[in-house]
Amino acid sequence: MRKVFGIMIPAMMIAFIVAVIPFFNSCQELSEDVMRVHILANSDSAADQSLKLSVRDRVLEHCSAYFDDCEDKNEAMAVTEDHLDEIEKVAEKEIRDQGFDYPVKAEVGQAYFNTRYYDEFTMPAGWYDSLRLTIGEGGGKNWWCVMYPALCVGAATDDKMKEDLSDGEYRVVTSDKVDFRFKIVEYWEDLCNLFR
């Protein structure tokens, strides 16, 4: 019996490593290749949450043309940084059009995102470069997705993801939502955040 366990345990460890390491590496690549968008609502009131979604739609629609000639995430980040004032103005106009007078702040930086499950894809936990829009106090529930390549708000077709992501990245985002490897990546990222 000891001999069987002596063989089974190392075999299980090897199988685990073979299953997790390539997945983990693809998750790391994904966090380096995509730019997220993070929109924080003023509060959790129904009106402020609805406003957040209106701002989201307007900003994503406006920004989509920015990335037509971008070859990679770094170019998309640079273009976004060049247009922060314009993005704020678009968001402010939508806020005013909806009858509110909240200020809005647009900034680019790195932020930690938990694993997020969308209808068509999953984004693993990790640190991502992102456009962050804070509406008013920014104290409400937030919304986040992928801004570059455009995988949000109806743009996330299977063909679009295959075109914009590497094979490994595509396998990650289209993995089954109950894939245990997402939890392992999230636990690892949470552990790393303790020392950040």
Side-chain angles (χ1 to χ4, degrees), residues 31-46:
S31 69
E32 294 167 8
D33 290 342
V34 303
M35 179 175 68
R36 306 285 294 263
V37 57
H38 189 199
I39 303 175
L40 291 86
N42 179 64
S43 75
D44 284 336
S45 73

Side-chain angles (χ1 to χ4, degrees), residues 85-102:
D85 289 340
E86 189 177 317
I87 292 168
E88 278 184 3
K89 286 183 174 111
V90 167
E92 284 171 358
K93 182 177 182 328
E94 183 63 23
I95 290 167
R96 302 296 171 266
D97 288 352
Q98 296 295 324
F100 296 88
D101 64 353
Y102 301 132

Side-chain angles (χ1 to χ4, degrees), residues 17-31:
I17 289 168
V18 166
V20 172
I21 296 297
F23 186 84
F24 182 80
N25 288 339
S26 291
C27 290
Q28 290 297 110
E29 284 177 28
L30 193 61
S31 69

